[in-house]
Amino acid sequence: MKPYVILNAAMTLDGKIATKTGSSEISCKEDLIRVHKLRYEVDGIMVGINTVLEDNPKLTVSKIPAKKEDNPIRVVVDSKGKTPLNYKVLNDMAPTIIAVANDYKENKKIKELSKYADIFPSGEKQVNLVELMDYLYKKGIKTLMLEGGSTLNFSMIKEGLINEIRLCIAPMVVGGKDAKTLFDGEGFDYMKDSVKLELKNSYNTGKDLILEYKVLNSKND
Ligand SMILES: NC(=O)c1ccc[n+]([C@@H]2O[C@H](COP(=O)([O-])OP(=O)(O)OC[C@H]3O[C@@H](n4cnc5c(N)ncnc54)[C@H](OP(=O)(O)O)[C@@H]3O)[C@@H](O)[C@H]2O)c1
């Protein structure tokens, strides 16, 4: 069994989730409330290591009234254990799981991280996301919010592990061939291989447009 995974992201009209310098303040204030309501509802929230290093996020519920117990369990996908010990994702506001790769699990840094987080090893050089999902489900995470970035988003959708996409499109354009898009990774070669979606809902919040899609043929339907 695997968690029901909702990918949530904010992008500019040209599909960027950050500028080439890593700046990623995209959502309007109304959208941030929507995001925090979703964080409140889910059991877990997951990001890739580059998002942690770039944004130093807390990944807690802070824009709506909430208690510490309302914060989702945080999951960082970090094969080599690069999460800095003084970063907010390791604070005491919620439990944290760091998913590492087997090749690095004996590293001194990962041993240190284990004082602050639950360490889950899988895969060889990179985290095995299928095994990670099974583990998270067993830990009680039945619903998981995926909050990026582009590389992890692509690996997750390629593996068929995303059930739903909730997307905020802000009326902004930033361009830049090196700016991160909603899905990067290695990509597919042909349109016929693309992951198919079904639009379920769309509405405006503040200045932004929200689109909600079901991902067709995900592994845990
Ligand atoms: N606008 C938004 O909604 C939003 C949301 C989140 C993030 N962002 C932006 O996204 C950017 C970061 O995106 P990113 O693509 O550079 O990084 P990312 O997706 O956050 O992290 C990718 C890293 O995760 C690790 N990883 C381990 N196992 C993996 C696997 N099986 N598949 C994929 N990744 C795996 C890899 O590093 P190791 O090999 O070292 O483990 C990989 O390089 C930041 O600029 C951030 O601000 C925007």
Side-chain angles (χ1 to χ4, degrees), residues 101-172:
N102 278 311
D103 280 7
Y104 307 101
K105 70 179 177 198
E106 302 302 335
N107 283 5
K108 195 167 159 243
K109 172 71 185 306
I110 293 179
K111 293 238 151 52
E112 278 186 76
L113 280 168
S114 69
K115 292 181 200 152
Y116 304 89
D118 174 16
I119 307 290
F120 174 70
S122 69
E124 287 173 27
K125 299 222 166 322
Q126 274 214 318
V127 173
N128 181 318
L129 297 171
V130 174
E131 288 179 23
L132 174 61
M133 291 303 113
D134 290 336
Y135 176 75
L136 295 182
Y137 192 88
K138 284 194 200 105
K139 291 291 271 188
I141 299 179
K142 311 285 185 243
T143 51
L144 176 70
M145 183 173 174
L146 169 62
E147 269 209 38
S150 327
T151 311
L152 184 61
N153 289 350
F154 184 75
S155 295
M156 284 287 291
I157 203 153
K158 188 180 164 213
E159 292 284 359
L161 296 171
I162 300 180
N163 298 84
E164 224 184 286
I165 299 174
R166 298 194 190 173
L167 185 60
C168 160
I169 303 183
M172 300 189 238

Side-chain angles (χ1 to χ4, degrees), residues 8-10 17-18 22 24 26 48-51 54-55 77-80 82 126-127 129 147-152 155 180:
N8 187 82
I17 65 164
S24 62
I26 296 171
I49 180 59
N50 294 350
T51 296
E54 195 72 52
D55 301 343
V77 181
D78 177 13
S79 316
K80 305 178 186 76
K82 289 187 287 195
Q126 274 214 318
V127 173
L129 297 171
E147 269 209 38
S150 327
T151 311
L152 184 61
S155 295
K180 300 273 168 191

Side-chain angles (χ1 to χ4, degrees), residues 58-123:
K58 288 197 287 284
L59 303 177
T60 54
V61 183
S62 59
K63 307 251 180 240
I64 58 169
K67 299 189 286 291
K68 194 173 165 180
E69 310 85 81
D70 300 321
N71 289 325
I73 298 177
R74 301 171 292 195
V75 183
V76 181
V77 181
D78 177 13
S79 316
K80 305 178 186 76
K82 289 187 287 195
T83 304
L85 295 174
N86 60 348
Y87 267 33
K88 293 175 191 163
V89 75
L90 296 176
N91 69 16
D92 64 2
M93 292 305 291
T96 303
I97 296 171
I98 302 191
V100 303
N102 278 311
D103 280 7
Y104 307 101
K105 70 179 177 198
E106 302 302 335
N107 283 5
K108 195 167 159 243
K109 172 71 185 306
I110 293 179
K111 293 238 151 52
E112 278 186 76
L113 280 168
S114 69
K115 292 181 200 152
Y116 304 89
D118 174 16
I119 307 290
F120 174 70
S122 69

